[in-house]
Amino acid sequence: MAPSPVFFPEDLIGEIFSVLPVKSILRFRCLSKSYDTLISHPVFVKLHLKKSTLQNPQFLLITDHDVRIPGPGFSPDGSDAEYDRDRGIIPYSIRSLFENPSFTISVDPFYLMENKGCSRIVGSCNGLICLAGDSYDEYQKYWLRLWNPATRIISPTFGYFHEECNPRDEDIPFLFDGYYKFSFGCDNSTDTYKVVAYRYNKRQRRSNVRILSLGDNVWRDIESFPVDPILLDSPCQDFEYDGLYFRSTINWLAIPNEIDYNVYDTKDIPVEQFVIVSLDLMTETYNRYLLPRDFDEMPHRIPTICLLGDSLCFSYFYKKTDFIIWQMKKFGVEDSWTQFLKVSCHNLQIDDDLSDEHFIKYSLRLEPLFLSEDGDTLVLDYCQDFQAIIYNRRNNRVERTNITALRRINDDGIGRCTSKYYFESLVSVF
């Protein structure tokens, strides 16, 4: 007698599916219409998203690959050659990194920016990566795309806008108004994804800020920043000082724009001028938060803000001897700043680099990326050799990653890696 078939309740199937990687879940869609309906349902997508943040944390390995283009004279020493840079964005498991910190990865063309018509990584939120493209002639032109690497789906371009590059001004003719930068996040109260575009307008001597809500595809101007984010007037989209998405807000380290400063020479910046400016994506209004009271001496390089676990953090080098991280235990409450870590540069095995003043000013960067669930293991992105440091707080053990990124085409390009925290999801790009 044949055994009776076993049927699982739909809610139990949903719980089982919710802990699987996206690639595995997608295989079930073609098995039955009911599975496809379950996997596509917004309730299941949210359930999977919630579990993915805890059970399957990943990095985005961001690779820069310089491809040598021979010059017209094909000189033997390559003196007439030019270089083209292509950027890749590759999800990689944190668990795999812990198990094997040294590895070589081939960059699948699917993960290259050149195949997506964009040149900038705006940010990631809930498994979606926002990309931006731009071009400049007599107009500055900008556009956006959303990409879910896990489902391998990318949106059409959206959010296009343009502005005249050299608007005439009676008092200041032909003054460039500045480059727009972008940040990306979600208003969790309505599940509305939003992109923020912002710049420092040199003619108006204030910031211009606009917001686009996905779905209506209309840019709306909002109030200027009350305090301007660091490097707002820089033409580069800098990962280190990009807006940081956290709990329906986007946050920047900020300083009044009238203060003249150089990010590579910070000794003359008054410490008390630094604040965090936070844009609430629900109300589209700003808050300002003071930094820890014990941050009373300007480091050699401008500090950074980051996320560790479920806390907004603030980090900096102290007197060339230590690296310090503060956690805001209760977001928005200035009195909740707590020193999370003070570790010597010697224990992090970077003290030899600090003897070089040029290196400190122009190359030194250490950005906290990830904290293990038990709070023992910290991953930091380190500028030296474009690698990361894995630091165990319990036993002071340090490992350096050694990640090599190779393209599949045969060239003599050089791959470099930086990293950003990420987790995969089933969230739709449309």
Side-chain angles (χ1 to χ4, degrees):
M1 184 176 177
S4 301
V6 177
F7 296 96
F8 293 99
E10 186 172 298
D11 57 348
L12 180 57
I13 294 174
E15 284 291 334
I16 295 170
F17 282 5
S18 68
V19 299
L20 298 176
V22 169
K23 186 175 181 180
S24 299
I25 293 173
L26 294 180
R27 290 179 180 147
F28 287 97
R29 298 188 73 164
C30 60
L31 292 183
S32 74
K33 187 176 181 180
S34 63
Y35 282 176
D36 182 57
T37 302
L38 169 66
I39 292 166
S40 304
H41 198 282
V43 172
F44 176 78
V45 171
K46 276 191 174 183
L47 176 64
H48 179 268
L49 175 64
K50 182 179 180 180
K51 295 192 176 183
S52 181
T53 60
L54 300 173
Q55 298 183 1
N56 192 25
Q58 298 191 359
F59 284 123
L60 289 178
L61 295 178
I62 300 168
T63 66
D64 283 317
H65 197 85
D66 292 334
V67 181
R68 183 174 175 273
I69 303 172
F74 295 95
S75 61
D77 61 358
S79 58
D80 62 344
E82 295 182 356
Y83 287 85
D84 184 31
R85 173 169 291 183
D86 192 18
R87 176 162 280 175
I89 315 171
I90 310 162
Y92 194 82
S93 165
I94 288 177
R95 289 192 185 94
S96 297
L97 182 73
F98 287 166
E99 292 168 1
N100 181 17
S102 301
F103 60 89
T104 297
I105 190 167
S106 294
V107 183
D108 186 323
F110 172 76
Y111 295 112
L112 294 176
M113 294 277 284
E114 68 177 359
N115 298 327
K116 295 172 176 56
C118 294
S119 56
R120 303 195 220 174
I121 304 167
V122 174
S124 68
C125 174
N126 294 345
L128 299 180
I129 298 174
C130 184
L131 307 174
D134 51 49
S135 66
Y136 304 93
D137 38 48
E138 73 177 290
Y139 290 97
Q140 304 173 63
K141 302 171 186 175
Y142 301 94
W143 59 90
L144 303 163
R145 299 187 82 175
L146 274 189
W147 177 38
N148 187 326
T151 61
R152 300 181 73 89
I153 297 175
I154 190 165
S155 74
T157 58
F158 65 95
Y160 173 86
F161 69 95
H162 70 274
E163 294 200 356
E164 194 174 357
C165 275
N166 291 301
R168 295 181 178 273
D169 186 289
E170 293 181 1
D171 299 322
I172 316 175
F174 304 109
L175 180 64
F176 183 48
D177 276 351
Y179 297 93
Y180 273 99
K181 299 183 178 185
F182 299 90
S183 291
F184 174 58
C186 181
D187 170 8
N188 292 327
S189 67
T190 59
D191 289 333
T192 302
Y193 290 88
K194 297 185 178 184
V195 181
V196 183
Y198 50 97
R199 69 176 178 185
Y200 182 72
N201 190 309
K202 294 180 180 179
R203 286 188 308 126
Q204 299 173 359
R205 296 186 179 179
R206 65 179 180 87
S207 58
N208 300 140
V209 188
R210 52 181 58 174
I211 285 186
L212 179 144
S213 297
L214 270 64
D216 59 23
N217 204 27
V218 176
W219 288 101
R220 295 174 285 104
D221 291 331
I222 65 168
E223 184 182 353
S224 298
F225 288 116
V227 185
D228 290 331
I230 293 293
L231 296 183
L232 179 60
D233 59 351
S234 166
C236 301
Q237 184 96 17
D238 193 318
F239 291 135
E240 192 172 1
Y241 302 110
D242 284 350
L244 183 71
Y245 172 71
F246 181 58
R247 293 185 186 174
S248 296
T249 67
I250 298 177
N251 304 272
W252 297 263
L253 190 64
I255 191 170
N257 203 72
E258 61 268 18
I259 295 178
D260 188 26
Y261 67 91
N262 182 337
V263 69
Y264 301 119
D265 192 4
T266 60
K267 62 181 182 298
D268 294 328
I269 303 177
V271 169
E272 63 273 10
Q273 296 292 338
F274 279 100
V275 296
I276 291 172
V277 62
S278 180
L279 173 61
D280 188 318
L281 293 178
M282 180 174 65
T283 62
E284 298 181 359
T285 58
Y286 300 99
N287 290 295
R288 279 187 276 190
Y289 304 123
L290 298 178
L291 296 174
R293 292 189 184 95
D294 287 350
F295 174 62
D296 55 7
E297 181 176 328
M298 194 61 213
H300 293 270
R301 186 94 188 267
I302 284 181
T304 60
I305 57 174
C306 63
L307 292 181
L308 288 178
D310 197 32
S311 296
L312 181 72
C313 295
F314 171 68
S315 64
Y316 57 96
F317 282 97
Y318 179 71
K319 292 184 181 294
K320 299 186 188 179
T321 59
D322 298 284
F323 184 69
I324 295 177
I325 302 175
W326 292 82
Q327 278 186 331
M328 185 180 261
K329 289 289 191 178
K330 191 172 182 180
F331 181 61
V333 178
E334 295 163 341
D335 290 339
S336 70
W337 283 113
T338 303
Q339 190 174 112
F340 167 72
L341 178 71
K342 183 176 182 180
V343 57
S344 73
C345 296
H346 176 74
N347 284 346
L348 290 176
Q349 299 177 14
I350 61 173
D351 51 325
D352 290 344
D353 299 330
L354 301 182
S355 61
D356 184 344
E357 195 69 29
H358 184 274
F359 173 81
I360 292 173
K361 280 189 176 183
Y362 300 104
S363 302
L364 181 62
R365 181 174 63 81
L366 191 62
E367 181 184 359
L369 290 177
F370 174 77
L371 181 66
S372 62
E373 193 173 355
D374 61 12
D376 287 342
T377 305
L378 181 67
V379 181
L380 306 110
D381 189 28
Y382 186 45
C383 58
Q384 182 81 347
D385 297 325
F386 300 92
Q387 299 294 336
I389 292 173
I390 302 174
Y391 172 63
N392 188 291
R393 299 169 60 211
R394 186 179 294 274
N395 57 23
N396 268 333
R397 184 167 175 257
V398 169
E399 284 187 277
R400 293 281 185 95
T401 64
N402 182 17
I403 304 169
T404 303
L406 299 176
R407 287 169 53 135
R408 288 185 174 178
I409 60 175
N410 184 22
D411 58 37
D412 58 354
I414 303 170
R416 297 179 298 274
C417 293
T418 54
S419 303
K420 286 291 180 183
Y421 180 59
Y422 164 81
F423 49 85
E424 64 176 23
S425 79
L426 291 161
V427 177
S428 173
V429 301
F430 300 107

PDB file of all heavy atoms in Angstrom, residues 366-377:
ATOM      1  N   LEU A 366      39.373  54.182   7.727  1.00  0.00           N
ATOM      2  CA  LEU A 366      38.978  52.934   8.363  1.00  0.00           C
ATOM      3  C   LEU A 366      37.498  53.062   8.680  1.00  0.00           C
ATOM      4  O   LEU A 366      37.093  53.853   9.517  1.00  0.00           O
ATOM      5  CB  LEU A 366      39.792  52.710   9.640  1.00  0.00           C
ATOM      6  CG  LEU A 366      39.694  51.338  10.303  1.00  0.00           C
ATOM      7  CD1 LEU A 366      40.206  50.246   9.372  1.00  0.00           C
ATOM      8  CD2 LEU A 366      40.489  51.320  11.610  1.00  0.00           C
ATOM      9  N   GLU A 367      36.689  52.295   7.980  1.00  0.00           N
ATOM     10  CA  GLU A 367      35.233  52.425   8.107  1.00  0.00           C
ATOM     11  C   GLU A 367      34.626  51.132   8.648  1.00  0.00           C
ATOM     12  O   GLU A 367      34.741  50.080   8.026  1.00  0.00           O
ATOM     13  CB  GLU A 367      34.607  52.743   6.752  1.00  0.00           C
ATOM     14  CG  GLU A 367      33.095  52.911   6.827  1.00  0.00           C
ATOM     15  CD  GLU A 367      32.476  53.132   5.463  1.00  0.00           C
ATOM     16  OE1 GLU A 367      33.209  53.173   4.457  1.00  0.00           O
ATOM     17  OE2 GLU A 367      31.239  53.252   5.397  1.00  0.00           O
ATOM     18  N   PRO A 368      33.972  51.183   9.822  1.00  0.00           N
ATOM     19  CA  PRO A 368      33.276  49.991  10.322  1.00  0.00           C
ATOM     20  C   PRO A 368      32.164  49.569   9.371  1.00  0.00           C
ATOM     21  O   PRO A 368      31.366  50.385   8.924  1.00  0.00           O
ATOM     22  CB  PRO A 368      32.702  50.460  11.664  1.00  0.00           C
ATOM     23  CG  PRO A 368      33.540  51.643  12.054  1.00  0.00           C
ATOM     24  CD  PRO A 368      33.884  52.313  10.763  1.00  0.00           C
ATOM     25  N   LEU A 369      32.115  48.263   9.065  1.00  0.00           N
ATOM     26  CA  LEU A 369      31.145  47.744   8.102  1.00  0.00           C
ATOM     27  C   LEU A 369      30.119  46.814   8.719  1.00  0.00           C
ATOM     28  O   LEU A 369      28.940  46.859   8.368  1.00  0.00           O
ATOM     29  CB  LEU A 369      31.863  46.971   6.990  1.00  0.00           C
ATOM     30  CG  LEU A 369      32.697  47.761   5.999  1.00  0.00           C
ATOM     31  CD1 LEU A 369      33.381  46.799   5.042  1.00  0.00           C
ATOM     32  CD2 LEU A 369      31.838  48.738   5.228  1.00  0.00           C
ATOM     33  N   PHE A 370      30.573  45.939   9.619  1.00  0.00           N
ATOM     34  CA  PHE A 370      29.690  44.873  10.079  1.00  0.00           C
ATOM     35  C   PHE A 370      30.112  44.416  11.464  1.00  0.00           C
ATOM     36  O   PHE A 370      31.297  44.300  11.771  1.00  0.00           O
ATOM     37  CB  PHE A 370      29.750  43.692   9.101  1.00  0.00           C
ATOM     38  CG  PHE A 370      28.987  42.481   9.557  1.00  0.00           C
ATOM     39  CD1 PHE A 370      27.596  42.438   9.456  1.00  0.00           C
ATOM     40  CD2 PHE A 370      29.649  41.385  10.102  1.00  0.00           C
ATOM     41  CE1 PHE A 370      26.893  41.321   9.888  1.00  0.00           C
ATOM     42  CE2 PHE A 370      28.950  40.267  10.534  1.00  0.00           C
ATOM     43  CZ  PHE A 370      27.563  40.246  10.424  1.00  0.00           C
ATOM     44  N   LEU A 371      29.103  44.136  12.304  1.00  0.00           N
ATOM     45  CA  LEU A 371      29.337  43.595  13.632  1.00  0.00           C
ATOM     46  C   LEU A 371      28.574  42.286  13.744  1.00  0.00           C
ATOM     47  O   LEU A 371      27.375  42.223  13.447  1.00  0.00           O
ATOM     48  CB  LEU A 371      28.859  44.578  14.703  1.00  0.00           C
ATOM     49  CG  LEU A 371      29.056  44.160  16.165  1.00  0.00           C
ATOM     50  CD1 LEU A 371      30.541  44.085  16.503  1.00  0.00           C
ATOM     51  CD2 LEU A 371      28.330  45.127  17.097  1.00  0.00           C
ATOM     52  N   SER A 372      29.256  41.228  14.163  1.00  0.00           N
ATOM     53  CA  SER A 372      28.607  39.928  14.286  1.00  0.00           C
ATOM     54  C   SER A 372      27.510  39.989  15.345  1.00  0.00           C
ATOM     55  O   SER A 372      27.499  40.859  16.222  1.00  0.00           O
ATOM     56  CB  SER A 372      29.631  38.842  14.640  1.00  0.00           C
ATOM     57  OG  SER A 372      30.240  39.125  15.895  1.00  0.00           O
ATOM     58  N   GLU A 373      26.584  39.027  15.278  1.00  0.00           N
ATOM     59  CA  GLU A 373      25.434  39.026  16.181  1.00  0.00           C
ATOM     60  C   GLU A 373      25.858  38.922  17.645  1.00  0.00           C
ATOM     61  O   GLU A 373      25.223  39.512  18.526  1.00  0.00           O
ATOM     62  CB  GLU A 373      24.493  37.869  15.816  1.00  0.00           C
ATOM     63  CG  GLU A 373      23.134  37.963  16.465  1.00  0.00           C
ATOM     64  CD  GLU A 373      22.169  36.905  15.946  1.00  0.00           C
ATOM     65  OE1 GLU A 373      22.540  36.161  15.015  1.00  0.00           O
ATOM     66  OE2 GLU A 373      21.045  36.842  16.474  1.00  0.00           O
ATOM     67  N   ASP A 374      26.963  38.213  17.921  1.00  0.00           N
ATOM     68  CA  ASP A 374      27.427  38.096  19.305  1.00  0.00           C
ATOM     69  C   ASP A 374      28.248  39.301  19.751  1.00  0.00           C
ATOM     70  O   ASP A 374      28.648  39.406  20.921  1.00  0.00           O
ATOM     71  CB  ASP A 374      28.237  36.810  19.506  1.00  0.00           C
ATOM     72  CG  ASP A 374      29.493  36.740  18.628  1.00  0.00           C
ATOM     73  OD1 ASP A 374      29.867  37.765  18.026  1.00  0.00           O
ATOM     74  OD2 ASP A 374      30.084  35.650  18.540  1.00  0.00           O
ATOM     75  N   GLY A 375      28.496  40.237  18.837  1.00  0.00           N
ATOM     76  CA  GLY A 375      29.218  41.457  19.176  1.00  0.00           C
ATOM     77  C   GLY A 375      30.713  41.305  19.283  1.00  0.00           C
ATOM     78  O   GLY A 375      31.415  42.261  19.635  1.00  0.00           O
ATOM     79  N   ASP A 376      31.253  40.126  18.941  1.00  0.00           N
ATOM     80  CA  ASP A 376      32.680  39.875  19.106  1.00  0.00           C
ATOM     81  C   ASP A 376      33.515  40.250  17.881  1.00  0.00           C
ATOM     82  O   ASP A 376      34.662  40.691  18.003  1.00  0.00           O
ATOM     83  CB  ASP A 376      32.942  38.398  19.427  1.00  0.00           C
ATOM     84  CG  ASP A 376      32.531  38.030  20.836  1.00  0.00           C
ATOM     85  OD1 ASP A 376      32.375  38.959  21.655  1.00  0.00           O
ATOM     86  OD2 ASP A 376      32.340  36.830  21.117  1.00  0.00           O
ATOM     87  N   THR A 377      32.944  40.048  16.688  1.00  0.00           N
ATOM     88  CA  THR A 377      33.733  40.201  15.465  1.00  0.00           C
ATOM     89  C   THR A 377      33.292  41.435  14.693  1.00  0.00           C
ATOM     90  O   THR A 377      32.117  41.621  14.393  1.00  0.00           O
ATOM     91  CB  THR A 377      33.607  38.952  14.573  1.00  0.00           C
ATOM     92  OG1 THR A 377      33.978  37.796  15.337  1.00  0.00           O
ATOM     93  CG2 THR A 377      34.514  39.064  13.360  1.00  0.00           C
TER      94      THR A 377
END
